[in-house]
Amino acid sequence: MDVDLEVLIADAEQSGWAPGPSRRLADGIEARIVVPLSGRLRWALGSDEAAQLARVIAWERCLELAVDPPEGGVSWGYLANLVRWRLQDALRAEVIRRRRHPLTHQPPESEVEQGSVLGHHLDRIALELTAAGLSSETCRRLIHAAADGPPFYRAGIVVRVRRAGATKAQAEALAWLLRGGAGQRSALARLAVGESPAAVFADPVVQHWIRAASGRDLRFFGGPSRLGHRRAAGVEWLHAA
């Protein structure tokens, strides 16, 4: 048994952990526990990290020993073994973490080129809207607003797109393009299940949505319902008259 450790712990405890006795115990921990740490532990955990962990573990154990010392007494060897075992546990945990979350040791030499900005299918819809006359910047802004849910039902999309600066007709049309309805699947849904873009965007209903979302059909008010067709026919009849 090493009397020095017992004496240092007893002095610190009896003084109410006053600065002087506590400092002497801390100095002993530094000289007898921290400085002799193995190079392997320092290398694996990092020298500063290993030293700080050793200080914390040793100090916490000294606080416990002051309250409940073992029958056989305490020694610097006992404390050193305990600190080493705890550090080895920390090392094992760190090795497991690194295996699960490998680090990128070498950054790429050149900047990685950005791929799809909005997502493959949304980019395809944006391309159609741009071809129909909507500016690329406005198109991205409106689609970002539409996709910035939840909620993702049509009314929620319309509100967000209107706040982003779209007209009511544009917002309604974009909601149909991205969300669709019970009687008509959206262009986005059709692309997502594997329909060819050529077939999707050749559909007259989708073309109607594209025109309205690009700002070319200010009379658009909703999806392809029979009532909508009758209203559209009535408007065309009035114009013809």
Side-chain angles (χ1 to χ4, degrees):
M1 180 178 69
D2 192 324
V3 178
D4 289 342
L5 178 57
E6 283 192 326
V7 169
L8 290 173
I9 292 175
D11 287 348
E13 195 272 335
Q14 289 168 10
S15 70
W17 301 95
S22 295
R23 180 72 263 170
R24 287 192 291 274
L25 176 58
D27 289 342
I29 289 172
E30 195 72 20
R32 303 295 296 271
I33 303 296
V34 177
V35 172
L37 275 178
S38 75
R40 175 177 173 271
L41 287 171
R42 288 183 180 275
W43 177 83
L45 294 170
S47 182
D48 292 341
E49 180 72 11
Q52 186 61 19
L53 273 174
R55 292 183 190 104
V56 171
I57 294 167
W59 186 261
E60 288 179 347
R61 186 56 180 148
C62 286
L63 294 177
E64 295 169 358
L65 291 170
V67 176
D68 186 20
E71 291 182 3
V74 296
S75 67
W76 288 112
Y78 166 86
L79 189 59
N81 281 336
L82 184 132
V83 169
R84 187 175 69 253
W85 294 333
R86 292 273 299 274
L87 287 177
Q88 287 172 345
D89 285 343
L91 176 56
R92 282 192 288 269
E94 179 66 9
V95 169
I96 293 171
R97 186 191 69 80
R98 288 176 182 175
R99 285 175 180 169
R100 290 176 179 170
H101 308 285
L103 298 176
T104 301
H105 297 289
Q106 193 171 13
E109 294 182 359
S110 59
E111 185 177 349
V112 178
E113 186 175 337
Q114 281 280 358
S116 169
V117 175
L118 297 168
H120 180 67
H121 301 310
L122 289 178
D123 273 340
R124 188 64 181 80
I125 292 172
L127 184 64
E128 293 293 326
L129 292 172
T130 303
L134 192 63
S135 75
S136 178
E137 181 182 353
T138 301
C139 182
R140 286 195 302 272
R141 185 178 76 250
L142 297 185
I143 289 181
H144 272 304
D148 189 23
F152 290 110
Y153 48 77
R154 278 201 314 276
I157 292 174
V158 168
V159 169
R160 291 195 297 274
V161 175
R162 290 297 304 276
R163 287 174 181 166
T167 66
K168 184 177 180 182
Q170 283 180 298
E172 290 279 358
L174 199 55
W176 279 93
L177 272 170
L178 303 184
R179 182 65 177 85
Q184 182 71 47
R185 284 190 305 164
S186 68
L188 181 60
R190 292 171 63 179
L191 292 171
V193 297
E195 285 193 51
S196 72
V200 172
F201 294 109
D203 186 326
V205 173
V206 176
Q207 289 180 0
H208 185 201
W209 294 341
I210 292 289
R211 285 195 301 273
S214 64
R216 293 169 53 201
D217 183 356
L218 303 180
R219 298 171 302 178
F220 185 88
F221 60 88
S225 64
R226 290 186 177 183
L227 178 60
H229 286 307
R230 286 201 298 270
R231 287 181 177 176
V235 170
E236 289 175 2
W237 182 84
L238 286 174
H239 277 286

